[in-house]
C-alpha cells in the first residue's frame, strides 16, 4: 500500500516537471517568435548607433563601388532615432576620410539639432568632412592612434593639356561664359580661373573653420592654426581640444550610464535595410583606409565641364 | 494482551475525513505558489518585455507604447502569449492531476460536479480569467469578489464551469 502511494507520488512529481519544462519551452519559443516575426529591432535598446563609414556623399553610391555613407540615409536614421521614445542617446560610429562638404554639413547640422545626447566615436579615421560631422556631437571620443583633423578642402585633379599636345591633339574651346569650362582637365587653368577657384575653396575652408571653432569652443585664431589640413593622432587631437576623451565604445557606454543615469546601455544599430545587391556587394567590397585624401573617386570619374569636385 | 483486545472492542467512534470547500486563505496561498512557478516559466517573455520598454518610470513606458505602434503590437502579442501560457498551466495541471503545484502544497484539489474529476473543458473555462484581453479582464475583479462572498469559495468562472476547489479535513 505504501509502495503504491510512493509510486503515485513520484509519477505526480514527474508529471509536474514535464509540464513545467514543457511550458517553459513554449514560453521561450513564443518569445523567439514574437521577437523574430513581429519585432522591430530598432525599438529594442536605449542607445542608437549610426555608422558613418567610408566617404560621405549626398547620394548613395553603387553597391559594387567603395562602401560610402549617404547623407540622405543618415538624416533618415537620425530622424528615426530622434523620434523613438526608447532612444536616449545617439552614438555616431565614425570611420571615414570625409567627402562632400554639403553632405558633411547636412549630417553635422542634423546632429547639432538633436535634442538627445550625441557622442561621436572616431575609430581608425575621422578626418575632414567626417571630423566636421564629429565636431557637431556633444562629445568626441577617439583612440590614441585614431587619425583625425585634416580641416581643409581639396579639389585637385589631373590636367592633361601637356599629354594631348604631345600627341598632336587639341582642345577646342567653345563656351559662352568666361568660367564655364573652369577645371576642365583638358586645358590648363588660367591665373584668373585659378584665383576664382581658390577663392571658392578658401570660402568653404573658412566656413569649415568657423563651424569647428563654434562646435569645439575654440577661438578663431586657434581653429585657423589647427586648420592647415594637418592630420592629428587621437592623443594629439586631445591636447589641441579637437577631441574630448581617449577611449572606445566601452568608454562611451560608461559615459552615458553616468550622465543619463542608465542602469544599462543597450545599443541598437540603426541602419537602412539592405537590398540583395547591397548584401552581395558587402561580401566583395573592402573598407579602404584613406588619410585626408578627400579625393574619393576622382580617379574613376571625370566631372563634366564646369563641375569641379570639391571635397572636405 | 487481552486488555488490548478488550480496548479494541470498545467501538470508539472512528475519525472521518470530510470534503469541504477549501478556505480562501489556502486558495490565495496556493495561487501565490503557482505564480512563483509561473514567473520562472514566463522568464523569456518577461525579458522580451524588458528589452522593448525604456528603463524608466511607468508614465514613460505608457508613452512609449502609445506613441509607437510597433511596440504596442509587440506588447499585445506578449500579453496574449503570457495569458495563454498561464491558462495552459492551470488547465493542464487541473485536468491531469486535479491539482496545481500550489494546490499540492496546500493540500487542496479541484473537483467537478459530484466530487468527480473535472473534464478538460471545465478546467479550461474555469481558468479563462487569466487571458489579458477584453472581456476576460473584467473577471479580474468579479472572480475574487465572488470567491470571497460565495459559500463554496468559488470564483465566478468556477461556478460557470461547475468546478470546485476542496480540501479534506478530519472530523
Amino acid at each position: 500500500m505504501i509502495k503504491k502511494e510512493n509510486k503515485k507520488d513520484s509519477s505526480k512529481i514527474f508529471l509536474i516537471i514535464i509540464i513545467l519544462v514543457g511550458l517553459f519551452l513554449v514560453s521561450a519559443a513564443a518569445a523567439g517568435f514574437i521577437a523574430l516575426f513581429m519585432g522591430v529591432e530598432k525599438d529594442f535598446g536605449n542607445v542608437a548607433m549610426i555608422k558613418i563609414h567610408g566617404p560621405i556623399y549626398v547620394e548613395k553610391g553603387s553597391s559594387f563601388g567603395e562602401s560610402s555613407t549617404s547623407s540622405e540615409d543618415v538624416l533618415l536614421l537620425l530622424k528615426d532615432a530622434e523620434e523613438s521614445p526608447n532612444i536616449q542617446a545617439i552614438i555616431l560610429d565614425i570611420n571615414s576620410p570625409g567627402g562632400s562638404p554639403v553632405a558633411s554639413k547636412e549630417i553635422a547640422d542634423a546632429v547639432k539639432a538633436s535634442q538627445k545626447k550625441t557622442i561621436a566615436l572616431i575609430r581608425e579615421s575621422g578626418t575632414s568632412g567626417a571630423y566636421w560631422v564629429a565636431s557637431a556631437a556633444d562629445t568626441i571620443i577617439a583612440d590614441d592612434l585614431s587619425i583625425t583633423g585634416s580641416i581643409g578642402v581639396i579639389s585637385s585633379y589631373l590636367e592633361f593639356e601637356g599629354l594631348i599636345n604631345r600627341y598632336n591633339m587639341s582642345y577646342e574651346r567653345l563656351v559662352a561664359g568666361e568660367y564655364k569650362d573652369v577645371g576642365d582637365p583638358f586645358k590648363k587653368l588660367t591665373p584668373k580661373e585659378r584665383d576664382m577657384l581658390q577663392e571658392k575653396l578658401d570660402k568653404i575652408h573658412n566656413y569649415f573653420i568657423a563651424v569647428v571653432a563654434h562646435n569645439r569652443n575654440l577661438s578663431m585664431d586657434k581653429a585657423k592654426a589647427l586648420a592647415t589640413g594637418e592630420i592629428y593622432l587621437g592623443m594629439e587631437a586631445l591636447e589641441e581640444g579637437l577631441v574630448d576623451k581617449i577611449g572606445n565604445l566601452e568608454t562611451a557606454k560608461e559615459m552615458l550610464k553616468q550622465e543619463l543615469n542608465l542602469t544599462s546601455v543597450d545599443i541598437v544599430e540603426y541602419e537602412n535595410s539592405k537590398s540583395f545587391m547591397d548584401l552581395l556587394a558587402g561580401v566583395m567590397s573592402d573598407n579602404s583606409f584613406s588619410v585626408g585624401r578627400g579625393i574619393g573617386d576622382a580617379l574613376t570619374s571625370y566631372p563634366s565641364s564646369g563641375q569641379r569636385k570639391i571635397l572636405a | 494482551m487481552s486488555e488490548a483486545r478488550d480496548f479494541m472492542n470498545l467501538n470508539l467512534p472512528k475519525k472521518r475525513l470530510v470534503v469541504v470547500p477549501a478556505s480562501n486563505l489556502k486558495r490565495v496561498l496556493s495561487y501565490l505558489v503557482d505564480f512563483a512557478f509561473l514567473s520562472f516559466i514566463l522568464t523569456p517573455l518577461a525579458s522580451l518585455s524588458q528589452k522593448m520598454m525604456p528603463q524608466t518610470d511607468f508614465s514613460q513606458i505608457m508613452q512609449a507604447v502609445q506613441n509607437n505602434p510597433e511596440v504596442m503590437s509587440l506588447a499585445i502579442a506578449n500579453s496574449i502569449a503570457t495569458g495563454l501560457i498561464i491558462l495552459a498551466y492551470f488547465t493542464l495541471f487541473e485536468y491531469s492531476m486535479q491539482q496545481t503545484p500550489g494546490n499540492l502544497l496546500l493540500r487542496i484539489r479541484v473537483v467537478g460536479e459530484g466530487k468527480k474529476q473535472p473534464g478538460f473543458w471545465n478546467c479550461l473555462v474555469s481558468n479563462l480569467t487569466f487571458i489579458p484581453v477584453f472581456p476576460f479582464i473584467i473577471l479580474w475583479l468579479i472572480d475574487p469578489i465572488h470567491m470571497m462572498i460565495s459559500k463554496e469559495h468559488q470564483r465566478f468562472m468556477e461556478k460557470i464551469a461547475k468546478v470546485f476547489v476542496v480540501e479534506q479535513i478530519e472530523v
Side-chain angles (χ1 to χ4, degrees), chain A residues 53-116:
Chain A
H53 287 191
I56 303 170
Y57 299 122
V58 170
E59 284 172 355
K60 194 172 174 158
S62 156
S63 298
F64 288 95
E66 186 184 16
S67 162
S68 63
T69 291
S70 152
S71 63
E72 279 177 353
D73 288 347
V74 173
L75 291 180
L76 286 172
L77 296 173
L78 281 168
K79 186 170 178 279
D80 276 351
E82 198 65 29
E83 286 171 359
S84 170
N86 296 345
I87 297 298
Q88 297 184 54
I90 301 169
I91 295 178
L92 303 169
D93 178 354
I94 297 176
N95 188 16
S96 164
S100 146
V102 171
S104 305
K105 181 180 176 296
E106 281 179 349
I107 298 173
D109 287 349
V111 170
K112 194 84 183 157
S114 170
Q115 300 295 313
K116 299 190 178 177

Side-chain angles (χ1 to χ4, degrees), chain A residues 157-167 169-171 183-189 298-299 301-303 308:
Chain A
Y157 64 100
L158 291 175
E159 183 259 294
F160 297 107
E161 192 186 85
L163 185 65
I164 62 173
N165 284 342
R166 195 173 168 183
Y167 288 97
M169 292 191 283
S170 57
Y171 171 73
D184 195 300
F186 300 117
K187 74 171 191 61
K188 243 186 175 50
L189 269 179
L299 292 175
S301 66
Y302 288 99
R308 265 279 19 109

Side-chain angles (χ1 to χ4, degrees), chain B residues 6-135:
Chain B
D6 289 343
F7 180 76
M8 280 170 68
N9 291 331
L10 285 175
N11 285 329
L12 292 168
K14 289 174 188 164
K15 282 188 181 174
R16 284 188 305 143
L17 286 172
V18 174
V19 174
V20 296
S23 68
N24 285 332
L25 178 63
K26 280 195 173 181
R27 293 206 62 186
V28 168
L29 290 172
S30 161
Y31 277 124
L32 286 174
V33 171
D34 285 323
F35 278 105
F37 277 105
L38 279 165
S39 67
F40 159 72
I41 290 169
L42 294 169
T43 309
L45 287 167
S47 59
L48 183 65
S49 273
Q50 264 191 336
K51 270 191 181 178
M52 279 193 301
M53 302 299 172
Q55 306 300 315
T56 53
D57 55 58
F58 181 72
S59 59
Q60 289 219 8
I61 292 171
M62 286 309 293
Q63 211 180 11
V65 170
Q66 281 163 10
N67 294 342
N68 219 322
E70 289 121 348
V71 174
M72 175 92 106
S73 58
L74 273 168
I76 291 171
N78 204 329
S79 301
I80 292 174
T82 302
L84 289 174
I85 288 171
I86 296 174
L87 175 65
Y89 174 94
F90 285 102
T91 306
L92 286 172
F93 276 120
E94 287 175 3
Y95 177 62
S96 60
M97 290 167 43
Q98 290 181 262
Q99 284 176 307
T100 64
N103 294 161
L104 192 65
L105 278 170
L106 275 298
R107 296 179 194 274
I108 58 180
R109 61 179 45 244
V110 176
V111 295
E113 269 190 312
K115 308 285 189 278
K116 290 179 185 166
Q117 180 158 3
F120 178 80
W121 291 109
N122 299 89
C123 295
L124 187 80
V125 169
S126 72
N127 290 303
L128 286 175
T129 312
F130 298 111
I131 298 177
V133 290
F134 186 83

Side-chain angles (χ1 to χ4, degrees), chain A residues 179-193:
Chain A
Y179 297 115
K180 190 63 184 172
D181 62 348
V182 72
D184 195 300
F186 300 117
K187 74 171 191 61
K188 243 186 175 50
L189 269 179
T190 65
K192 221 172 158 188
E193 284 172 342

Side-chain angles (χ1 to χ4, degrees), chain A residues 93-297:
Chain A
D93 178 354
I94 297 176
N95 188 16
S96 164
S100 146
V102 171
S104 305
K105 181 180 176 296
E106 281 179 349
I107 298 173
D109 287 349
V111 170
K112 194 84 183 157
S114 170
Q115 300 295 313
K116 299 190 178 177
K117 169 79 181 172
T118 51
I119 294 181
L121 180 64
I122 297 176
R123 310 291 296 281
E124 281 187 72
S125 167
T127 52
S128 199
Y131 183 75
W132 189 331
V133 169
S135 73
D138 296 323
T139 307
I140 305 178
I141 298 174
D143 187 83
D144 273 314
L145 303 179
S146 295
I147 307 288
T148 185
S150 187
I151 303 168
V153 188
I154 186 168
S155 189
S156 309
Y157 64 100
L158 291 175
E159 183 259 294
F160 297 107
E161 192 186 85
L163 185 65
I164 62 173
N165 284 342
R166 195 173 168 183
Y167 288 97
N168 272 335
M169 292 191 283
S170 57
Y171 171 73
E172 282 298 334
R173 188 167 187 264
L174 288 164
V175 293
E178 189 185 345
Y179 297 115
K180 190 63 184 172
D181 62 348
V182 72
D184 195 300
F186 300 117
K187 74 171 191 61
K188 243 186 175 50
L189 269 179
T190 65
K192 221 172 158 188
E193 284 172 342
R194 181 178 292 275
D195 289 342
M196 187 273 285
L197 275 180
Q198 188 60 54
E199 190 192 332
K200 307 294 180 207
L201 292 180
D202 290 341
K203 277 185 178 167
I204 297 171
H205 190 212
N206 288 336
Y207 192 102
F208 191 176
I209 294 170
V211 165
V212 168
H214 173 73
N215 288 345
R216 299 300 304 163
N217 227 9
L218 301 168
S219 65
M220 273 305 283
D221 289 338
K222 167 90 177 180
K224 270 185 180 152
L226 295 170
T228 58
E230 183 183 347
I231 55 162
Y232 300 97
L233 296 177
M235 50 186 154
E236 292 168 340
L238 182 70
E239 284 169 21
E240 300 293 355
L242 292 176
V243 307
D244 296 299
K245 246 184 156 114
I246 296 296
N248 52 24
L249 183 60
E250 291 307 311
T251 317
K253 282 180 176 180
E254 277 311 308
M255 182 184 274
L256 287 172
K257 266 189 200 173
Q258 283 171 19
E259 286 186 19
L260 302 177
N261 251 341
L262 301 173
T263 48
S264 72
V265 169
D266 300 317
I267 291 185
V268 55
E269 206 172 301
Y270 272 55
E271 56 183 0
N272 287 312
S273 53
K274 291 182 175 173
S275 66
F276 173 72
M277 295 305 272
D278 289 334
L279 290 169
L280 191 60
V283 172
M284 291 160 42
S285 74
D286 304 331
N287 278 327
S288 58
F289 170 78
S290 323
V291 177
R293 274 170 62 192
I295 294 174
D297 58 1

